[in-house]
Amino acid sequence: MTKFVLAGRADCPFYAKAELLADYLQKNLPDFRVHKITQHPHVWEEWLEDLCKKNKWNHKNSPIIWRELLDRGGKGLLLGGYNEFLEHAQLYYGVTSSMTTEMMKVIAQENLMTHIEDEQEKEALKQLIEPLNVWITSASSRPCYNLIPILTSGEVFGMHTEISITLFDDEKTEENLQILVTEMWDLVSPLLQSVSICTRVEEAFRQAHVIIILDDHTDKEVYTLEDCIRSRVPLCRLYGYLIEKNAHDSVRVIVGGKTFVNLKTVLLMRYAPNITHNIIAVALGVEGEAKAALARKLKTTSSCIKDVIIWGNISGNSYVDLRKAKIYNYESAIWGPPHFSRPVLSLIFDSEWVNKEFVATLEELTATGKQFGAILAAHSIATTLKYWYHGSPPGEIVSLGVLSEGQFGIPEGIVFSMPVKFENGTWVVLTDLKDIEISEQIMTRMTSDLIQEKLVALGDLIYFQPYQSETLSTKRNKKTTLSTTNDNQEVQSISDVDFADLISETNPEQLLSQEPINEPEGKTMEQ
């Protein structure tokens, strides 16, 4: 018995015609068998090249047809394409095909739609069999404790997606992690397939689909801002190396926290260049604080306020943009259906409050990070992940820290919070928004610190000089300079974290010496 294998591009008309002929032969000839393979047009050429390379065939077009001798084994015997198959059917079986060109095109489109539906169904079944592997760093921290119930509820990844969570942290925290594992099983979540602990750095991020980077906890103090910035490099370099080495090819990395969020994100991108577009920084925490402050002023709930844009440094110099902000379900003389909204700025008549008290409140929260609590951090990360997987609400603006490609006049090569929307499993920068131009002075204020942070971290700049406008008072200057270092958590070093004992097992000197620190990229940004 001979089996024919018919493979082709899902939208190929000639594949459709060959398929119909093969189906007819299989139905009417007892010893004729056919196995059909379709590939999406985007992957067909690569698939065909690999197939021909493996079997040492020379074939360039769709479809490709070969015979497999079931009773002999061995590799298949290449027949050729559609014309060769038609000739074979005429010669051996006296059968030909009379399908019209229009019918070929119609069936080809139906084949493509069927192929896409089959692939989606296979992916859904795969998710039920193979759980989504989620890794959380600094897992003994409070934000992780608040994040886990949200991740296991089904709200983030979907009610039919099982997940496997790995808690990654220092060996000293293992006892606390074991307690956390017990509490996680006590949740009795039907979506939580497994929980594990990892304290060996060489095993980090194995087959990870999602990696959540939380603020690291360290023991050694540093005494200058420059040392604090540079201390972020070793761990980010190590994480980047391990992510590219161990994680899944389509891994998604999300960086949250309250210290040097933009800097850590851009360093991870530098040391994991193959997944740059899949590394983002969470800005919804700052956005939530801004909405809460507005809600208190307007005596409403923060969930009624939408489209507040956070520009710039998520954990530093940022700009809260209210020009697109809207409020829904607001009790006033003007009332409308649930989808009716009004501009926030039109309802705040106290411009003094907006320009001074509101700004000062947010600067205080962002600079010190003291009120950026674990619940807010966890909710911000979970919401961002939910949008990433299922899309953000239609028409709603979301703030996100992403790598700048020059949008809105932002210098390239820095991670900058800007307006985006999530759709189809990815994010898109909203460059088509009208009337959101940012003044040169505000842009300089936001980008100056981010550029300097990157240069200092990479060794291209010795001293960090926080941006100071000419109108700022000496008192404000002092506050700005100290605000980054007055929190004990801000002035701790990553380089001497207890992971160092674990890193030594993977020869860190060799790993950390692979990247030169004086490169043209940083010098270009300084100009």
Side-chain angles (χ1 to χ4, degrees):
M1 180 182 292
T2 302
K3 181 177 76 171
F4 283 81
V5 181
L6 172 62
R9 207 176 67 237
D11 63 344
C12 174
F14 292 101
Y15 172 83
K17 193 170 184 178
E19 179 188 29
L20 184 64
L21 179 58
D23 288 343
Y24 176 84
L25 293 173
Q26 180 171 250
K27 182 178 179 181
N28 292 277
L29 300 175
D31 293 331
F32 187 95
R33 293 291 180 268
V34 62
H35 175 67
K36 293 177 284 187
I37 302 174
T38 59
Q39 295 292 337
H40 195 280
H42 294 165
V43 302
W44 163 253
E45 291 185 2
E46 182 179 353
W47 182 87
L48 179 62
E49 182 179 351
D50 291 341
L51 175 70
C52 292
K53 183 177 181 181
K54 177 181 177 181
N55 293 283
K56 297 181 180 180
W57 292 339
N58 183 19
H59 189 85
K60 300 295 183 182
N61 302 316
S62 172
I64 179 172
I65 303 163
W66 69 92
R67 292 191 301 166
E68 291 183 352
L69 304 180
L70 300 181
D71 57 346
R72 297 186 185 180
K75 76 170 187 176
L77 177 64
L78 178 65
L79 181 64
Y82 167 74
N83 289 331
E84 289 78 11
F85 182 58
L86 185 63
E87 290 175 3
H88 181 86
Q90 289 175 333
L91 179 63
Y92 284 91
Y93 309 115
V95 178
T96 187
S97 175
S98 59
M99 183 184 294
T100 64
T101 302
E102 290 301 320
M103 183 59 68
M104 290 167 58
K105 293 180 179 179
V106 171
I107 295 178
Q109 288 302 311
E110 291 178 354
N111 283 343
L112 177 60
M113 296 303 298
T114 302
H115 174 82
I116 294 174
E117 290 174 1
D118 289 344
E119 289 298 312
Q120 291 174 345
E121 184 177 349
K122 289 178 183 178
E123 186 65 26
L125 292 173
K126 183 180 177 181
Q127 288 182 357
L128 293 176
I129 300 171
E130 299 180 12
L132 193 73
N133 293 318
V134 180
W135 282 69
I136 307 176
T137 70
S138 303
S140 62
S141 63
R142 189 68 187 177
C144 177
Y145 192 86
N146 291 275
L147 181 62
I148 286 171
I150 309 175
L151 295 180
T152 57
S153 67
E155 180 182 346
V156 176
F157 302 112
M159 297 304 298
H160 301 288
T161 302
E162 292 189 357
I163 64 173
S164 174
I165 296 180
T166 303
L167 307 175
F168 180 44
D169 212 327
D170 187 357
E171 271 186 335
K172 293 194 308 182
T173 67
E174 188 166 356
E175 184 177 348
N176 292 334
L177 294 180
Q178 291 290 357
I179 296 173
L180 182 56
V181 169
T182 302
E183 292 195 43
M184 291 174 66
W185 285 123
D186 291 344
L187 291 173
V188 197
S189 170
L191 300 177
L192 183 60
Q193 188 177 101
S194 65
V195 183
S196 57
I197 294 172
C198 179
T199 57
R200 294 178 60 85
V201 73
E202 67 271 17
E203 297 177 0
F205 313 132
R206 289 196 184 279
Q207 293 303 309
H209 296 102
V210 177
I211 300 174
I212 302 172
I213 307 291
L214 300 179
D215 276 331
D216 44 89
H217 37 258
T218 59
D219 296 325
K220 184 176 178 180
E221 292 187 353
V222 294
Y223 299 100
T224 67
L225 178 58
E226 289 79 11
D227 287 342
C228 188
I229 292 173
R230 294 187 188 103
S231 70
R232 266 58 189 173
V233 176
L235 195 59
C236 288
R237 182 180 300 182
L238 179 64
Y239 278 0
Y241 168 79
L242 292 171
I243 289 170
E244 290 222 327
K245 178 185 176 184
N246 295 337
H248 195 273
D249 292 340
S250 60
V251 64
R252 303 182 185 191
V253 182
I254 183 166
V255 183
K258 62 180 182 180
T259 58
F260 295 106
V261 174
N262 295 57
L263 175 63
K264 289 186 290 187
T265 306
V266 78
L267 289 175
L268 285 173
M269 292 175 175
R270 183 182 184 86
Y271 299 121
N274 293 327
I275 58 166
T276 296
H277 191 78
N278 272 11
I279 304 177
I280 60 175
V282 179
L284 291 186
V286 183
E287 186 178 313
E289 291 175 338
K291 290 179 178 179
L294 292 169
R296 287 192 294 270
K297 178 67 175 179
L298 294 171
K299 295 181 173 56
T300 185
T301 58
S302 54
S303 62
C304 294
I305 299 174
K306 309 290 184 183
D307 299 344
V308 174
I309 303 174
I310 306 299
W311 298 91
N313 191 345
I314 296 166
S315 52
N317 260 332
S318 60
Y319 172 54
V320 180
D321 193 344
L322 303 180
R323 288 174 292 181
K324 296 293 182 181
K326 304 182 187 69
I327 184 169
Y328 294 80
N329 300 323
Y330 187 64
E331 295 186 8
S332 64
I334 302 176
W335 190 258
H339 63 270
F340 174 74
S341 66
R342 299 178 65 186
V344 167
L345 290 177
S346 69
L347 299 175
I348 301 178
F349 303 103
D350 188 357
S351 59
E352 185 85 3
W353 180 86
V354 174
N355 294 323
K356 292 186 177 180
E357 186 177 339
F358 176 66
V359 172
T361 299
L362 294 179
E363 283 183 352
E364 174 96 11
L365 293 172
T366 303
T368 65
K370 290 180 179 178
Q371 294 190 36
F372 191 78
I375 295 178
L376 177 57
H379 183 267
S380 302
I381 292 170
T383 303
T384 305
L385 277 173
K386 176 183 177 181
Y387 290 167
W388 204 351
Y389 273 85
H390 302 291
S392 51
E396 188 170 322
I397 300 173
V398 179
S399 300
L400 185 70
V402 299
L403 187 66
S404 170
E405 298 178 352
Q407 307 97 324
F408 309 106
I410 302 166
E412 296 183 20
I414 59 174
V415 169
F416 201 87
S417 179
M418 59 183 80
V420 306
K421 66 176 179 180
F422 288 92
E423 59 181 5
N424 300 324
T426 187
W427 47 267
V428 179
V429 178
L430 296 175
T431 54
D432 57 346
L433 292 178
K434 297 180 180 179
D435 302 324
I436 59 168
E437 292 78 10
I438 302 175
S439 69
E440 183 178 350
Q441 181 181 1
I442 294 176
M443 182 64 73
T444 302
R445 173 174 67 85
M446 292 187 291
T447 58
S448 174
D449 289 356
L450 290 173
I451 294 173
Q452 288 191 79
E453 282 181 3
K454 183 178 179 181
L455 294 176
V456 170
L458 299 177
D460 294 330
L461 189 65
I462 298 176
Y463 298 109
F464 181 92
Q465 296 180 343
Y467 175 78
Q468 309 275 336
S469 68
E470 297 180 357
T471 59
L472 291 178
S473 63
T474 304
K475 179 179 179 181
R476 171 71 180 280
N477 288 340
K478 181 178 179 182
K479 175 183 176 183
T480 304
T481 303
L482 297 178
S483 62
T484 312
T485 60
N486 64 355
D487 188 353
N488 186 51
Q489 193 169 9
E490 294 267 349
V491 296
Q492 294 172 340
S493 171
I494 293 177
S495 58
D496 293 308
V497 70
D498 288 335
F499 275 132
D501 297 331
L502 305 171
I503 295 171
S504 62
E505 300 176 16
T506 60
N507 193 5
E509 290 80 12
Q510 180 181 358
L511 174 61
L512 301 182
S513 64
Q514 291 175 348
E515 179 71 17
I517 60 175
N518 293 310
E519 292 187 355
E521 178 188 352
K523 294 179 181 178
T524 301
M525 294 183 63
E526 185 181 10
Q527 294 174 352

